[in-house]
PDB file of all heavy atoms in Angstrom:
ATOM      1  N   GLU A  82      10.662  16.781   5.101  1.00  0.00           N
ATOM      2  CA  GLU A  82       9.344  17.409   4.951  1.00  0.00           C
ATOM      3  C   GLU A  82       9.110  17.921   3.534  1.00  0.00           C
ATOM      4  O   GLU A  82       8.082  17.630   2.913  1.00  0.00           O
ATOM      5  CB  GLU A  82       9.202  18.567   5.948  1.00  0.00           C
ATOM      6  CG  GLU A  82       8.537  18.179   7.246  1.00  0.00           C
ATOM      7  CD  GLU A  82       8.117  19.393   8.048  1.00  0.00           C
ATOM      8  OE1 GLU A  82       8.920  20.338   8.177  1.00  0.00           O
ATOM      9  OE2 GLU A  82       6.990  19.396   8.562  1.00  0.00           O
ATOM     10  N   SER A  83      10.042  18.705   3.021  1.00  0.00           N
ATOM     11  CA  SER A  83       9.863  19.271   1.684  1.00  0.00           C
ATOM     12  C   SER A  83       9.759  18.170   0.630  1.00  0.00           C
ATOM     13  O   SER A  83       8.982  18.278  -0.323  1.00  0.00           O
ATOM     14  CB  SER A  83      11.023  20.209   1.343  1.00  0.00           C
ATOM     15  OG  SER A  83      11.032  21.332   2.206  1.00  0.00           O
ATOM     16  N   THR A  84      10.530  17.113   0.806  1.00  0.00           N
ATOM     17  CA  THR A  84      10.485  15.999  -0.138  1.00  0.00           C
ATOM     18  C   THR A  84       9.130  15.296  -0.085  1.00  0.00           C
ATOM     19  O   THR A  84       8.542  14.976  -1.122  1.00  0.00           O
ATOM     20  CB  THR A  84      11.612  15.001   0.158  1.00  0.00           C
ATOM     21  OG1 THR A  84      12.878  15.683   0.086  1.00  0.00           O
ATOM     22  CG2 THR A  84      11.596  13.843  -0.823  1.00  0.00           C
ATOM     23  N   ALA A  85       8.643  15.077   1.115  1.00  0.00           N
ATOM     24  CA  ALA A  85       7.328  14.438   1.255  1.00  0.00           C
ATOM     25  C   ALA A  85       6.233  15.302   0.636  1.00  0.00           C
ATOM     26  O   ALA A  85       5.357  14.799  -0.078  1.00  0.00           O
ATOM     27  CB  ALA A  85       7.039  14.185   2.734  1.00  0.00           C
ATOM     28  N   PHE A  86       6.288  16.612   0.900  1.00  0.00           N
ATOM     29  CA  PHE A  86       5.273  17.503   0.341  1.00  0.00           C
ATOM     30  C   PHE A  86       5.324  17.520  -1.189  1.00  0.00           C
ATOM     31  O   PHE A  86       4.289  17.555  -1.858  1.00  0.00           O
ATOM     32  CB  PHE A  86       5.463  18.924   0.867  1.00  0.00           C
ATOM     33  CG  PHE A  86       5.286  19.069   2.355  1.00  0.00           C
ATOM     34  CD1 PHE A  86       6.023  20.003   3.067  1.00  0.00           C
ATOM     35  CD2 PHE A  86       4.389  18.275   3.047  1.00  0.00           C
ATOM     36  CE1 PHE A  86       5.878  20.141   4.436  1.00  0.00           C
ATOM     37  CE2 PHE A  86       4.230  18.405   4.432  1.00  0.00           C
ATOM     38  CZ  PHE A  86       4.980  19.347   5.127  1.00  0.00           C
ATOM     39  N   ALA A  87       6.522  17.503  -1.731  1.00  0.00           N
ATOM     40  CA  ALA A  87       6.677  17.556  -3.190  1.00  0.00           C
ATOM     41  C   ALA A  87       6.088  16.307  -3.846  1.00  0.00           C
ATOM     42  O   ALA A  87       5.368  16.392  -4.852  1.00  0.00           O
ATOM     43  CB  ALA A  87       8.148  17.712  -3.553  1.00  0.00           C
ATOM     44  N   ILE A  88       6.389  15.140  -3.296  1.00  0.00           N
ATOM     45  CA  ILE A  88       5.842  13.895  -3.844  1.00  0.00           C
ATOM     46  C   ILE A  88       4.320  13.907  -3.754  1.00  0.00           C
ATOM     47  O   ILE A  88       3.611  13.589  -4.724  1.00  0.00           O
ATOM     48  CB  ILE A  88       6.430  12.682  -3.093  1.00  0.00           C
ATOM     49  CG1 ILE A  88       7.939  12.561  -3.361  1.00  0.00           C
ATOM     50  CG2 ILE A  88       5.701  11.398  -3.490  1.00  0.00           C
ATOM     51  CD1 ILE A  88       8.627  11.526  -2.485  1.00  0.00           C
ATOM     52  N   TRP A  89       3.807  14.269  -2.598  1.00  0.00           N
ATOM     53  CA  TRP A  89       2.366  14.333  -2.352  1.00  0.00           C
ATOM     54  C   TRP A  89       1.700  15.280  -3.348  1.00  0.00           C
ATOM     55  O   TRP A  89       0.709  14.931  -4.000  1.00  0.00           O
ATOM     56  CB  TRP A  89       2.164  14.786  -0.911  1.00  0.00           C
ATOM     57  CG  TRP A  89       0.758  14.941  -0.421  1.00  0.00           C
ATOM     58  CD1 TRP A  89      -0.407  14.683  -1.092  1.00  0.00           C
ATOM     59  CD2 TRP A  89       0.390  15.389   0.885  1.00  0.00           C
ATOM     60  NE1 TRP A  89      -1.496  14.957  -0.290  1.00  0.00           N
ATOM     61  CE2 TRP A  89      -1.036  15.387   0.930  1.00  0.00           C
ATOM     62  CE3 TRP A  89       1.100  15.789   2.021  1.00  0.00           C
ATOM     63  CZ2 TRP A  89      -1.751  15.781   2.071  1.00  0.00           C
ATOM     64  CZ3 TRP A  89       0.393  16.176   3.158  1.00  0.00           C
ATOM     65  CH2 TRP A  89      -1.012  16.171   3.178  1.00  0.00           C
ATOM     66  N   ALA A  90       2.258  16.491  -3.484  1.00  0.00           N
ATOM     67  CA  ALA A  90       1.657  17.513  -4.348  1.00  0.00           C
ATOM     68  C   ALA A  90       1.685  17.108  -5.818  1.00  0.00           C
ATOM     69  O   ALA A  90       0.679  17.246  -6.530  1.00  0.00           O
ATOM     70  CB  ALA A  90       2.390  18.845  -4.158  1.00  0.00           C
ATOM     71  N   LEU A  91       2.810  16.620  -6.279  1.00  0.00           N
ATOM     72  CA  LEU A  91       2.936  16.271  -7.692  1.00  0.00           C
ATOM     73  C   LEU A  91       1.989  15.141  -8.085  1.00  0.00           C
ATOM     74  O   LEU A  91       1.347  15.184  -9.136  1.00  0.00           O
ATOM     75  CB  LEU A  91       4.383  15.895  -8.020  1.00  0.00           C
ATOM     76  CG  LEU A  91       5.389  17.044  -8.028  1.00  0.00           C
ATOM     77  CD1 LEU A  91       6.811  16.502  -8.209  1.00  0.00           C
ATOM     78  CD2 LEU A  91       5.068  18.056  -9.132  1.00  0.00           C
ATOM     79  N   ILE A  92       1.896  14.113  -7.244  1.00  0.00           N
ATOM     80  CA  ILE A  92       1.029  12.986  -7.578  1.00  0.00           C
ATOM     81  C   ILE A  92      -0.438  13.413  -7.527  1.00  0.00           C
ATOM     82  O   ILE A  92      -1.238  13.054  -8.393  1.00  0.00           O
ATOM     83  CB  ILE A  92       1.297  11.797  -6.641  1.00  0.00           C
ATOM     84  CG1 ILE A  92       2.718  11.263  -6.858  1.00  0.00           C
ATOM     85  CG2 ILE A  92       0.273  10.677  -6.890  1.00  0.00           C
ATOM     86  CD1 ILE A  92       3.114  10.148  -5.917  1.00  0.00           C
ATOM     87  N   ASP A  93      -0.817  14.211  -6.527  1.00  0.00           N
ATOM     88  CA  ASP A  93      -2.195  14.701  -6.472  1.00  0.00           C
ATOM     89  C   ASP A  93      -2.537  15.520  -7.712  1.00  0.00           C
ATOM     90  O   ASP A  93      -3.693  15.544  -8.155  1.00  0.00           O
ATOM     91  CB  ASP A  93      -2.403  15.555  -5.222  1.00  0.00           C
ATOM     92  CG  ASP A  93      -2.792  14.723  -4.007  1.00  0.00           C
ATOM     93  OD1 ASP A  93      -2.668  13.487  -4.074  1.00  0.00           O
ATOM     94  OD2 ASP A  93      -3.216  15.310  -2.994  1.00  0.00           O
ATOM     95  N   ALA A  94      -1.533  16.188  -8.268  1.00  0.00           N
ATOM     96  CA  ALA A  94      -1.749  17.020  -9.449  1.00  0.00           C
ATOM     97  C   ALA A  94      -1.601  16.229 -10.745  1.00  0.00           C
ATOM     98  O   ALA A  94      -1.583  16.822 -11.828  1.00  0.00           O
ATOM     99  CB  ALA A  94      -0.773  18.196  -9.440  1.00  0.00           C
TER     100      ALA A  94
END
Side-chain angles (χ1 to χ4, degrees):
E82 266 194 315
S83 295
T84 302
F86 297 147
I88 294 171
W89 179 2
L91 289 173
I92 295 176
D93 273 13

